[in-house]
Amino acid sequence: MRSKDKISYFYDGDVGSVYFGPNHPMKPHRLCMTHHLVLSYELHKKMEIYRPHKAYPVELAQFHSADYVEFLHRITPDTQHLFSNELAKYNLAEDCPVFENLFEFCQIYAGGTIDAARRLNNQLCDIAINWAGGLHHAKKCEASGFCYINDLVLGILELLKYHARVLYIDIDVHHGDGVEEAFYCTDRVMTVSFHKFGDLFFPGTGDVKEIGEKEGKFYAINVPLKDGIDDPSFTRLFKTIITKVVETYQPGAVVLQCGADSLAGDRLGCFNLSIDGHAECVRFVKKFNLPLLVTGGGGYTKENVARCWALETGVLLDTDLPNEIPENEYIKYFAPDFSLKIPHGHIENLNSKSYISTIKMQVLENLRCIQHAPSVQMQEVPPDFYIPDFDEDEQNPDERVDQHTQDKDIQRDEEYYEGDNDNDNPVDDV
């Protein structure tokens, strides 16, 4: 059955080929694995597939400081030893190392989220997916928690050109601190984060008492959870809070960060969620029929990340997927049972009924402090950011083009999409 919604999906194979370094838990290779599951389940035939544009430095500087963007653009593994002061200033250390093609990696994942927001703004789709995005910890002037550029903030800024109010929902096991901080003093964006809190768990923020400031007071919602939360507790709490949020805030668009480190068995996580439980949150948000931008996020047991985001792509397409994973290039990673679903975990659930009830009551009480959705005097909508493409004819014929750049112009076999949904070009109609 084909979804009645029009879905745009963004992917560039280059994003999955970067390497954070040995022993680093972030493995962008999980994005290739996700994409190949999407292809093997033939979900690509039910949506429009786009390769995102690489976000220009000036686009990234719509949120980030220009000096930070310029430094990310300039730094390489070979030159980093010359910039120890700047590395410290911008928090580029063990968690956020400098690696080969770092800036291009940022340009691709941020470009995907920006393009997704533009297609939604122009009503070219109902749902836009960028599993490479969702890097919610990055700050205006520094990297944090494996995140360098905050694509979510950039996507929300784009949506705010067309929508008076944008709702941001985060189901990563870590608090969505970078997004919350960016919009902490405005009522134009409501941020709602469900996350582990306490025991010095990263990033250490996200207490229920953090509610926003100035015009943004009561527009930051935090749902701090303890180890071991299970499907019934999580989904019941999620549905209760999100129902009240949508009813009270009346957003024009929703951004949903689907970090998969909240799944059972994650290398860095501590929750008991099954993929079905995680996906139930996606299914629930979809039912509001609001323009929806869906991203990835954390997730460090990469075969489960791929399972989760493939299944959630199916949910967004109203397509049930068989539990047996079809043959694909990464099939060996899903041994021994080659099944899509994973069971819930067995960590002791430290979230008592009384604890969950207390958190729920505090959140709902804060929501009652908002009388009604804030009205915004919308000015003339600013134009979408447009920078003309490079003109090949004007390039200096004597200037040598390096191999890496030449390779970018070669279509890769594994990125072929069949039929009418073959949109494997930079987006130029938004």
Side-chain angles (χ1 to χ4, degrees):
M1 171 185 152
R2 192 183 179 95
S3 167
K4 65 183 184 306
D5 292 309
K6 190 169 182 186
I7 318 276
S8 293
Y9 169 100
F10 294 87
Y11 178 74
D12 184 326
D14 285 349
V15 86
S17 62
V18 300
Y19 182 53
F20 274 61
N23 306 319
H24 197 290
M26 178 62 95
K27 309 288 185 193
H29 181 242
R30 66 201 180 132
L31 299 164
C32 298
M33 293 168 64
T34 301
H35 185 63
H36 278 267
L37 281 188
V38 166
L39 295 178
S40 68
Y41 277 110
E42 300 196 335
L43 298 176
H44 59 294
K45 295 179 179 177
K46 301 183 179 188
M47 42 187 190
E48 296 182 335
I49 313 287
Y50 295 95
R51 182 180 293 167
H53 86 290
K54 292 191 180 92
Y56 293 88
V58 70
E59 291 178 280
L60 304 180
Q62 299 299 298
F63 169 59
H64 294 283
S65 64
D67 61 307
Y68 172 55
V69 172
E70 203 269 325
F71 185 72
L72 285 180
H73 198 175
R74 192 174 73 228
I75 194 73
T76 68
D78 294 337
T79 61
Q80 63 178 325
H81 66 282
L82 303 172
F83 298 100
S84 54
N85 290 344
E86 288 90 343
L87 291 173
K89 175 183 176 184
Y90 298 125
N91 199 30
L92 296 171
E94 281 182 26
D95 273 2
C96 301
V98 175
F99 52 80
E100 205 67 51
N101 300 319
L102 165 61
F103 191 67
E104 185 183 38
F105 171 68
C106 295
Q107 287 180 293
I108 293 170
Y109 78 72
T113 301
I114 293 168
D115 285 347
R118 288 182 186 153
R119 288 194 72 76
L120 289 167
N121 279 346
N122 290 303
Q123 298 180 356
L124 296 169
C125 62
D126 305 298
I127 299 170
I129 304 169
N130 177 28
W131 294 124
L135 280 76
H136 59 173
H137 296 305
K139 308 293 197 300
K140 181 181 175 75
C141 303
E142 65 176 45
S144 175
F146 317 158
C147 306
Y148 301 82
I149 292 293
N150 199 316
D151 62 291
L152 292 157
V153 172
L154 295 169
I156 291 167
L157 288 173
E158 203 65 39
L159 291 169
L160 287 172
K161 293 178 181 179
Y162 284 70
H163 299 282
R165 293 174 299 282
V166 174
L167 171 61
Y168 171 72
I169 305 170
D170 189 317
I171 57 171
D172 195 289
V173 77
H174 300 95
H175 176 227
D177 59 337
V179 183
E180 177 184 278
E181 184 180 295
F183 300 110
Y184 206 61
C185 297
T186 179
D187 57 11
R188 296 279 314 275
V189 180
M190 178 174 279
T191 59
V192 187
S193 179
F194 297 79
H195 51 266
K196 153 80 177 180
F197 179 75
D199 309 322
L200 302 178
F201 194 73
F202 184 87
T205 50
D207 194 344
V208 72
K209 298 183 185 75
E210 294 167 29
I211 58 171
E213 290 177 4
K214 301 175 184 170
E215 286 77 23
K217 190 173 184 183
F218 303 118
Y219 292 90
I221 293 175
N222 284 297
V223 186
L225 301 167
K226 302 182 184 197
D227 287 8
I229 195 159
D230 55 22
D231 288 353
S233 308
F234 191 92
T235 55
R236 198 179 306 122
L237 186 61
F238 181 88
K239 291 176 180 181
T240 302
I241 289 173
I242 295 303
T243 298
K244 196 66 186 171
V245 162
V246 172
E247 177 191 310
T248 306
Y249 189 61
Q250 296 171 30
V254 179
V255 176
L256 177 59
Q257 196 267 23
C258 298
D261 46 8
S262 43
L263 291 174
D266 187 80
R267 185 173 164 186
L268 299 185
C270 52
F271 286 175
N272 280 330
L273 299 186
S274 70
I275 289 176
D276 279 335
H278 197 273
E280 183 57 32
C281 298
V282 178
R283 184 177 285 108
F284 188 73
V285 172
K286 180 182 186 292
K287 284 179 181 165
F288 289 103
N289 290 319
L290 291 162
L292 178 59
L293 198 170
V294 179
T295 72
Y300 307 100
T301 301
K302 60 185 183 178
E303 60 276 15
N304 289 349
V305 175
R307 287 177 163 107
C308 181
W309 292 344
L311 183 115
E312 288 171 352
T313 304
V315 164
L316 294 165
L317 288 163
D318 295 319
T319 301
D320 291 330
L321 303 185
N323 194 34
E324 187 176 342
I325 292 175
E327 183 61 43
N328 70 87
E329 196 172 317
Y330 298 101
I331 191 72
K332 66 179 188 293
Y333 287 95
F334 304 103
D337 55 359
F338 306 103
S339 60
L340 188 62
K341 306 285 177 71
I342 61 159
H344 59 76
H346 301 287
I347 298 171
E348 184 187 357
N349 186 357
L350 301 180
N351 300 272
S352 65
K353 284 184 177 172
S354 65
Y355 176 76
I356 295 234
S357 178
T358 302
I359 292 294
K360 180 174 72 179
M361 296 317 294
Q362 285 180 273
V363 168
L364 296 179
E365 185 58 42
N366 288 340
L367 276 168
R368 274 191 283 276
C369 295
I370 301 170
Q371 295 307 308
H372 52 79
S375 61
V376 175
Q377 191 69 41
M378 293 295 280
Q379 307 299 321
E380 183 182 346
V381 176
D384 282 343
F385 214 85
Y386 175 72
I387 300 172
D389 284 336
F390 233 19
D391 188 336
E392 284 184 28
D393 297 335
E394 288 183 13
Q395 283 184 283
N396 183 347
D398 298 326
E399 196 173 291
R400 185 187 168 105
V401 178
D402 65 84
Q403 187 61 46
H404 187 72
T405 305
Q406 286 180 47
D407 290 345
K408 293 288 170 294
D409 294 330
I410 299 169
Q411 170 113 11
R412 289 181 295 280
D413 289 342
E414 75 272 16
E415 287 184 13
Y416 170 74
Y417 309 109
E418 297 175 39
D420 296 337
N421 296 324
D422 181 8
N423 296 307
D424 193 10
N425 293 297
V427 179
D428 54 16
D429 57 349
V430 296

